[in-house]
Amino acid sequence: MAPDKFKGSASATDVAAAVSRGIRRARPDAVITQVPVADGGDGTVDAALAAGFDPVPLTVSGPTGEQVSATYARSACTAVLELAGTCGLSRLPGGVASPLAASSRGLGEVIVAALDAGCRDLVIGIGGSASTDGGAGMLSALGAVLRGPSGDVLADGGAALADVARLDLSGLHPALAEASLVVACDVDNPLTGPVGAAEVYGPQKGCDPAQVGLLDAALSRWADVVAVTTGADHRDVAGAGAAGGVGFAAIAVLGASLRPGIDLVLDLVGFDQALAGCELVVTGEGSLDAQSLHGKAPVGVADRACAAGVPVVAVAGRSTLTPAELARVGILGSFALLDIEPDVATCLAEPLPLLERLGHEIAVQQLP
């Protein structure tokens, strides 16, 4: 049982548990292994916790500076962190966008906490960003200092990068030198330009056209300063534009490597080992649609399961994919809430009883 979350409706853990209950109603003898997954956005830490990692609660800066409660997951020297749960869109006060001032500082504060706790292998999910600050806030929390032309320390936020003149990395957290950072990243956008962070993702974060232009110019200046400081220009690296440029800062300054989010999470939670002896894999997410075909969790799960010769079906709130489209990515069929409950509001508000019913159907139709 390896679903992603139904965003805004049910966690991956709750989805897995509900479908499992439905399967057991039809097949009490079924042996079910629940391995909730995520694709690097919100739910990444939850997936690690479900796999046996320990929760580490802390308080960090939200996207606009307010203090928020967050959690990272730890097992021995490995820490799993996510941007979404610290300074992502979901943590904006009142849901009000702040595209020019929002910062990635909170993610840096979680990294500091994990390093201070002795973690040296860091897995970082960066989906769901509220900011377009080129990762400058994250670096500032880690000890970097950004200064303007007169030597003043810059404020947080992407707009402030229009005035960046110097980057001082001498105060970076010393443990970074011996740490390994792997970032979950599912986009290949560069930092700047017509397919860069501001142009492509700025509007989703509340930018109007003028603000998009301002942020793109500010990111270009930021990339110039980072290149002078580090001796290498990473603005055009695939994935540099991820999370408003957090990908850029992670690559250019922290020496991080980027990996597809679902592959990273599947390795983290031991998915391949859990497949041994399975007769069926159930995956899913809230909406199975065209976006699902581009590296989302259900397709990543199906890739691994098919390689092991295990058939796959999917549960969803809704599915707009044809049977042929599903088959092309290794999914035999889909079971959607809207198939059994036409009222969308009910599906969103009370998904778990409906998921139990789908689990019962899956057992009847798919299990020998």
Side-chain angles (χ1 to χ4, degrees):
M1 195 66 56
D4 197 353
K5 63 190 174 297
F6 281 29
K7 193 165 186 176
S9 184
S11 70
T13 299
D14 287 342
V15 173
V19 178
S20 296
R21 287 194 295 271
I23 289 174
R24 288 196 177 100
R25 282 202 291 114
R27 289 290 300 273
D29 60 327
V31 178
I32 302 172
T33 301
Q34 297 181 31
V35 187
V37 301
D39 61 8
D42 51 322
T44 299
V45 166
D46 285 344
L49 296 177
F53 281 62
D54 296 319
V56 182
L58 69 167
T59 300
V60 298
S61 298
T64 53
E66 70 294 334
Q67 295 293 286
V68 299
S69 297
T71 301
Y72 73 88
R74 178 178 184 178
S75 178
C77 291
T78 299
V80 180
L81 302 68
E82 68 179 49
L83 186 155
T86 57
C87 51
L89 284 165
S90 64
R91 305 313 294 265
L92 284 165
V96 178
S98 182
L100 301 184
S103 167
S104 58
R105 178 177 290 273
L107 177 60
E109 292 173 353
V110 182
I111 294 173
V112 168
L115 293 173
D116 287 347
C119 297
R120 293 296 179 266
D121 294 315
L122 275 58
V123 177
I124 307 172
I126 60 173
S129 166
S131 59
T132 309
D133 73 343
M138 174 184 70
L139 295 180
S140 296
L142 285 162
V145 180
L146 287 71
R147 298 189 184 277
S150 61
D152 53 312
V153 177
L154 294 186
D156 282 350
L161 296 175
D163 295 322
V164 65
R166 186 161 64 90
L167 173 63
D168 181 0
L169 299 177
S170 62
L172 275 182
H173 198 297
L176 287 167
E178 56 191 40
S180 170
L181 279 68
V182 182
V183 174
C185 175
D186 292 314
V187 304
D188 58 5
N189 304 78
L191 179 65
T192 59
V195 292
E199 289 283 352
V200 175
Y201 302 108
Q204 301 173 13
K205 302 175 185 182
C207 286
D208 61 33
Q211 291 171 328
V212 167
L214 185 158
L215 286 172
D216 188 61
L219 290 174
S220 292
R221 182 175 179 120
W222 169 232
D224 290 341
V225 171
V226 172
V228 169
T229 305
T230 64
D233 192 338
H234 290 86
R235 79 186 75 197
D236 292 327
V237 172
V246 168
F248 167 76
I251 297 166
V253 178
L254 304 182
S257 59
L258 305 185
R259 284 191 61 196
I262 184 58
D263 286 342
L264 190 57
V265 172
L266 291 178
D267 288 346
L268 188 75
V269 301
F271 179 77
D272 291 346
Q273 293 82 355
L275 275 177
C278 281
E279 295 178 69
L280 180 71
V281 169
V282 181
T283 186
E285 63 180 344
S287 180
L288 272 174
D289 52 35
Q291 290 189 27
S292 304
L293 303 177
H294 299 284
K296 292 291 189 176
V299 172
V301 168
D303 283 344
R304 296 283 187 98
C306 289
V310 183
V312 181
V313 297
V315 292
R318 64 164 190 164
S319 177
T320 62
L321 298 178
T322 66
E325 288 173 321
L326 291 169
R328 279 198 292 272
V329 294
I331 297 175
L332 296 178
S334 63
F335 296 76
L337 302 187
L338 285 174
D339 293 341
I340 59 173
E341 172 51 69
D343 182 54
V344 173
T346 299
C347 291
L348 290 171
E350 302 175 32
L352 301 186
L354 297 172
L355 284 164
E356 284 194 41
R357 288 173 58 187
L358 292 183
H360 187 274
E361 286 191 25
I362 289 169
V364 170
Q365 294 185 29
Q366 300 293 327
L367 296 180

